[in-house]
Amino acid sequence: MKDEYDVIVIGAGPAGSTAAKFAAEKAEVLLVDKHREIGTPKMCGEGLTRDAFRDLNIPFDRRFINRDIYGIVLYAPGGSKVEVKYDEILGHIIERKIFDKFLAAEASRNGAKVLADAYASLIIKDKKIIGVKIRHQGEEKEIKAKIVIAADGIGSQIARQAGIDTTLNPGDLHSCFEYEMSGIEIENSEMTHIFVGKKLAPGGYAWIFPKDDDRANVGLGVSGVEKKTAKYYLDQFIKSKPGLMKGSILEINAGAVPIGGFLQELVKDNLMVVGDAARQVDPANAGGIHYGMLAGKLAGITAGKAIGSGDLNILKEYEIEWRSSIGKHQEKLLKIRCFIDKLEDEDMNYLARVWNGDDVVKITTGKHGIALKKIIKHPKLLKLLKKFV
Ligand SMILES: Cc1cc2nc3c(=O)[nH]c(=O)nc-3n(C[C@H](O)[C@H](O)[C@H](O)COP(=O)(O)OP(=O)(O)OC[C@H]3O[C@@H](n4cnc5c(N)ncnc54)[C@H](O)[C@@H]3O)c2cc1C
């Protein structure tokens, strides 16, 4: 390892590894992660849309694709369900432990140096970030960097250390608990299953993401303001389902997801923030892998450009570009989430009934928008919508 790099990326999750991969096309890059094994622990439901693979040019590789998913079954509190099924593959349940390692290996293939078991903190002199201090295998080392990319996840200390306001309201947080379970009954293992309801998962939802015909990530997220824990609600949920009760627990994960929109400041001097650290998470479904990788790509390309031109002012382009593209989309989804948060259980039951008529609806690719329009034109639903806007 050298004493100086153009770019140091802190955190080898999907956002950091993608940033390192793209930055390495134009710059000398070091990617560090505090964990001894990149990708572990997984802390994830492991759902990822096919679009994410396409957007990031990731191969559909069976080493990290566990299962193909054709749609979603949504369970309203009263028991009715809405099934949105596609004729083609909508997404995948991945193996995060292998996927994250693959992304880090891609970064190294592009020329980045990758280092696991390396805890990093900023070195700031005269109010300027001049590099990173790394604790690796019991030894400390100082490494200079022209640019630092903070991709250190939801608990990000790096952005705060750089003076960025990272205050997070508990209400803008999904607190999650998840078991990987085997020997369970899954009604349809080619679909993801989402359960909503104020009593079941206040401010969040429960999920069953199948990894096999009888194995799945079974998890639940609740609003950060809830007094009872996500584990409490998850255990109640499992108790209510005999098909889950009979299963075994292979893995336990707990974590949180920031769902309140992205940080006001994504770039400060020579520091860029990406992924969960920047709160670049889809607020509607609390998924962060896709957004994190898109942000990582944008930040990595911008960092490479800045190094190539010798002008660090270019880094601001990352923030401008995020705000005007994916960030806009994120803001729209945030409004939808706020709308959903205000729904009572009876509203959700009503929506499910309107959507369904009497039976399960099958929506094929491309017609999704039409079905939504039909619902939005429904006079009673319009009244309901007006209550919230
Ligand atoms: C229970 C649960 C289920 C989820 N399910 C899904 C899902 O199904 N689909 C989806 O898209 N998203 C899901 N998410 C969200 C998703 O996991 C995150 O959005 C995603 O991992 C964010 O990627 P990231 O690279 O920004 O951060 P992370 O993946 O958190 O990576 C950050 C990395 O930084 C490292 N790090 C932290 N501090 C330091 C330091 N000081 N020095 C060195 N390294 C450091 C950490 O070790 C870690 O590897 C889920 C989250 C939870 C908690």
Side-chain angles (χ1 to χ4, degrees), residues 243-256:
L244 295 177
M245 268 303 278
K246 63 195 268 204
S248 300
I249 293 171
L250 307 182
E251 187 171 333
I252 302 174
N253 285 294

Side-chain angles (χ1 to χ4, degrees), residues 253-294:
N253 285 294
V257 185
I259 48 160
F262 57 89
L263 283 181
Q264 278 309 304
E265 219 174 352
L266 297 175
V267 178
K268 190 175 169 82
D269 304 323
N270 56 341
L271 180 102
M272 308 164 97
V273 195
V274 295
D276 272 17
R279 323 257 162 86
Q280 289 158 322
V281 171
D282 179 334
N285 66 15
I289 307 170
H290 190 180
Y291 271 20
M293 292 192 296
L294 288 172

Side-chain angles (χ1 to χ4, degrees), residues 202-241:
Y205 62 87
W207 65 86
I208 300 177
F209 284 5
K211 298 185 81 169
D212 248 321
D213 285 342
D214 68 344
R215 185 168 63 100
N217 290 323
V218 181
L220 188 145
V222 291
S223 162
V225 294
E226 262 313 299
K227 286 202 180 71
K228 288 187 181 133
T229 63
K231 180 186 182 313
Y232 167 83
Y233 285 103
L234 178 60
D235 289 341
Q236 295 299 311
F237 171 68
I238 290 171
K239 272 186 206 153
S240 73
K241 305 245 168 290

